[in-house]
Amino acid sequence: MTRLWQLRDRALTLDHPLVMGIVNVTPDSFSDGGRFLAPESAVEHATTLLAEGADILDVGGESTRPQSAEPVPLEEELRRVLPVVRALTAVRPDVVVSVDTVKAAVADAALEAGAQIVNDVSGLSLDPSMAAVCARRGAGVVVMHSRGGVSDMATYAHANYANFLGEMLDELRERVDAAEDAGVDRERIAVDPGIGFSKRPEHSLLALACLERLAAWGYPVVVGASRKRFIGQLTGARDPAQRRDGSVGAAVAAFDRGAVVLRVHDVGPTRRALDVAAAIRAAGAGA
Ligand code: HH2
């Protein structure tokens, strides 16, 4: 039976891994900050990602980078994100755009402008209106695990766990239940362990190693390991842009453990690696 992730006015098929290409419209994102701040260059970058095989474009106007991420004022975030969402959905009406934001007003405006998915790294916890906006608009929603606020969620400030896996899963479950209680349909929800968010490298590795426990809940699992610190530590690549190969390895390992949406910077190499991994799985299923 084909599994689907219901979005606003369409659905994504989950029988093949989906690549979510990152479109950061920020001056300070940890690996590509400032490169695509002008709407035209963000749209050009997004078009390249689609040509490389992206299924979803994740547009974000606020960074959570580990060193001193500054919360972005609402007006500024709208100014960054909306022209890009509008331009993308105008040029490519079939494109699936997700908006990476913790602000309900940004989510609402982006959905109005044609976005299909809200990707909230706070698990819909930082803005009390977020779940209601998502429910009213019928958006697809990525509920991600993190702790703290925008400025410290990608640091180790809250990375204290007695039992990492149990606590992470319990906290994420609470956020999913809260979203459903606020009226978000179950079939519109995807879950994400939040690699690198309030997690030391050993936590990120454990979250990936035990991803099947999250996948067992039945929601599509999203994983964003691309270019993150634990990959730098494992491969010795200090510059995030040099972490492509390690990131592809993480994406394949995540897919193998139940992830179906992989959020990445390097779309082409990830697409090709996942296509091979998916073909191997399919061959095994028929054997
Ligand atoms: N990671 C980042 C941002 N958004 N969304 C989901 N669902 N999962 C993630 O792991 C995730 C995310 C951080 O990466 P990036 O956007 O490249 O950097 P920045 O936060 O500096 O914009």
Side-chain angles (χ1 to χ4, degrees):
M1 193 186 72
T2 302
R3 285 181 67 215
L4 295 174
W5 182 14
Q6 296 292 341
L7 310 180
R8 290 185 63 206
D9 61 14
R10 66 196 77 169
L12 284 168
T13 304
L14 301 176
D15 50 15
H16 198 75
L18 301 173
V19 175
M20 177 188 265
I22 300 171
V23 183
N24 278 326
V25 200
T26 55
D28 56 349
S29 287
F30 77 94
S31 78
D32 55 8
R35 285 186 55 201
F36 312 113
L37 191 53
E40 308 75 49
S41 40
V43 171
E44 197 184 307
H45 179 58
T47 308
T48 305
L49 298 186
L50 287 175
E52 288 178 354
D55 303 285
I56 303 168
L57 295 171
D58 190 39
V59 179
E62 179 171 57
S63 173
T64 51
R65 72 197 283 260
Q67 286 83 32
S68 70
E70 290 293 328
V72 175
L74 172 62
E75 286 308 318
E76 173 62 15
E77 196 178 332
L78 288 170
R79 204 182 60 76
R80 291 178 187 176
V81 166
L82 287 186
V84 178
V85 176
R86 281 200 196 105
L88 283 174
T89 49
V91 183
R92 304 280 293 258
D94 56 327
V95 76
V96 175
V97 172
S98 76
V99 58
D100 188 339
T101 186
V102 299
K103 296 188 184 73
V106 174
D108 202 29
L111 293 166
E112 175 73 35
Q116 295 280 330
I117 299 168
V118 176
N119 174 26
D120 183 339
V121 295
S122 79
L124 285 61
S125 72
L126 289 180
D127 188 328
S129 309
M130 184 60 109
V133 163
C134 294
R136 179 166 50 79
R137 295 265 186 196
V141 183
V142 180
V143 181
M144 197 194 84
H145 177 266
S146 64
R147 290 174 167 181
V150 168
S151 318
D152 64 358
M153 61 170 61
T155 71
Y156 300 148
H158 305 285
N160 307 305
Y161 302 89
N163 161 17
F164 166 69
L165 214 52
E167 288 171 51
M168 187 272 280
L169 290 171
D170 284 353
E171 290 165 16
L172 185 53
R173 186 75 240 184
E174 271 176 36
R175 300 313 314 160
V176 171
D177 290 347
E180 290 185 12
D181 290 348
V184 180
D185 289 340
R186 192 185 193 289
E187 58 272 23
R188 297 185 196 278
I189 293 176
V191 292
D192 184 332
I195 302 301
F197 283 87
S198 310
K199 293 171 189 70
R200 296 178 184 280
E202 62 268 31
H203 299 134
S204 290
L205 283 174
L206 200 54
L208 288 169
C210 301
L211 209 57
E212 281 111 336
R213 283 184 56 182
L214 182 55
W217 293 359
Y219 302 90
V221 173
V222 180
V223 164
S226 184
R227 299 188 184 176
K228 286 189 176 164
R229 268 174 301 178
F230 80 102
I231 292 175
Q233 230 178 46
L234 287 168
T235 61
R238 293 171 67 94
D239 176 2
Q242 301 297 319
R243 297 175 188 163
R244 181 196 62 200
D245 299 359
S247 301
V248 171
V252 171
F255 167 66
D256 227 30
R257 288 162 178 75
V260 66
V261 180
L262 291 308
R263 179 185 184 275
V264 302
H265 301 86
D266 300 293
V267 167
T270 313
R271 171 83 279 160
R272 293 187 285 277
L274 288 172
D275 285 348
V276 172
I280 293 169
R281 177 183 298 179

